[in-house]
Amino acid sequence: MEKVADAIDWQQVMEYIRIWAERLISDMGVTGAAVPVLRHLMLIVIVVLLAWLSDAVCRWVVIPLADRITRHTKSKWDDILFGRPVTKCLCDIVPAVVVWKLLPMVFYQFSFLQELMARATAIYITVAGMRLLFVFIQQLKVLDTGRRTSVQQYVISFLGILRVATLFVGSIVIIALAIGQSPMRLFAGLGATSAILMLVFKDTIEGLVAGIRLTSANMVHVGDWITVPGT
């Protein structure tokens, strides 16, 4: 999706739309102080319509097409990648990307408002992206047959860790966007903090890792006796 967004010459698109709006205002005979107000209102309406159009294309074309493709295949991996839950979450991101790319056209005379709206849109895209990853991780459990081998248990444990990592990284990115800082600076600051936390909670982390290894390797069963040698 990001490659598609980068492939579009958004600057040229915005310029064409702005020129068309100015010509339309001129043909209407509007002059004076009402011109900038009317121009911004028209641009806002155009951006909203384009966002709605992109959402409609995704929901009425992309989702049915993906469903049709996945129904006619016997493999399960396409149900995970192109299943309805995943495509629905993806459709929630596309209109926000369109709005984010066209914001400079709408508020090109109001830098503060443009930056504020860009931050809000970027936060929404981040939250929607986190939700997409959560749904994708949940869809990976479709491959679970109920008979847990050691490899499958490792995968289930890894999915849990991946869910926590997604929440952590997404939260840091949202905070960085809200305060107008680079996420890398916050991650750099958290590096030293995480080292201290690892020292403080060393025993807890080791117990968690040991529990994951015991569960993943299927080393303990119901009815087993666990003995601890006397010291």
Side-chain angles (χ1 to χ4, degrees):
M1 182 181 61
E2 186 66 24
K3 292 182 178 180
V4 174
D6 292 338
I8 301 176
D9 192 350
W10 293 99
Q11 188 67 30
Q12 188 176 4
V13 173
M14 291 187 294
E15 186 65 20
Y16 284 154
I17 295 176
R18 186 184 63 81
I19 293 175
W20 176 82
E22 291 179 351
R23 289 179 179 177
L24 182 59
I25 293 174
S26 178
D27 294 339
M28 294 171 58
V30 180
T31 58
V35 173
V37 177
L38 184 58
R39 180 172 63 242
H40 281 86
L41 290 177
M42 290 181 61
L43 293 177
I44 291 174
V45 172
I46 291 172
V47 171
V48 172
L49 289 176
L50 289 176
W52 176 84
L53 180 61
S54 63
D55 181 74
V57 170
C58 286
R59 297 188 184 277
W60 297 344
V61 177
V62 176
I63 293 180
L65 181 61
D67 289 341
R68 184 176 300 178
I69 293 175
T70 55
R71 282 198 305 265
H72 290 80
T73 58
K74 297 181 179 180
S75 59
K76 289 187 176 181
W77 65 268
D78 55 350
D79 296 332
I80 297 174
L81 294 178
F82 306 107
R84 182 171 286 268
V86 176
T87 52
K88 281 186 176 180
C89 293
L90 185 61
C91 289
D92 293 336
I93 302 177
V94 174
V97 173
V98 173
V99 173
W100 182 57
K101 288 292 186 179
L102 295 178
L103 277 176
M105 176 196 67
V106 180
F107 302 105
Y108 64 93
Q109 292 181 333
F110 305 97
S111 58
F112 174 77
L113 187 58
Q114 176 184 338
E115 182 179 358
L116 183 63
M117 294 297 296
R119 288 186 187 181
T121 308
I123 290 175
Y124 173 81
I125 294 174
T126 304
V127 174
M130 292 172 58
R131 182 169 175 266
L132 175 62
L133 289 177
F134 286 149
V135 172
F136 179 75
I137 293 172
Q138 185 66 28
Q139 284 292 104
L140 289 176
K141 293 185 178 180
V142 174
L143 298 177
D144 188 8
T145 59
R147 300 178 59 184
R148 297 287 179 85
T149 63
S150 59
V151 176
Q152 287 177 333
Q153 189 61 45
Y154 272 120
V155 172
I156 296 299
S157 302
F158 174 75
L159 293 180
I161 297 174
L162 185 60
R163 186 181 291 107
V164 175
T166 301
L167 180 61
F168 174 75
V169 174
S171 301
I172 296 300
V173 173
I174 291 174
I175 294 174
L177 292 173
I179 63 178
Q181 297 292 333
S182 173
M184 300 307 299
R185 296 184 61 181
L186 294 183
F187 281 118
L190 289 174
T193 305
S194 61
I196 298 175
L197 292 176
M198 290 179 65
L199 292 176
V200 173
F201 298 100
K202 177 181 177 182
D203 296 335
T204 304
I205 296 174
E206 289 180 350
L208 176 63
V209 173
I212 294 175
R213 294 191 62 183
L214 286 173
T215 305
S216 61
N218 200 19
M219 299 172 62
V220 181
H221 305 82
V222 177
D224 290 348
W225 286 83
I226 301 177
T227 60
V228 180
T231 56

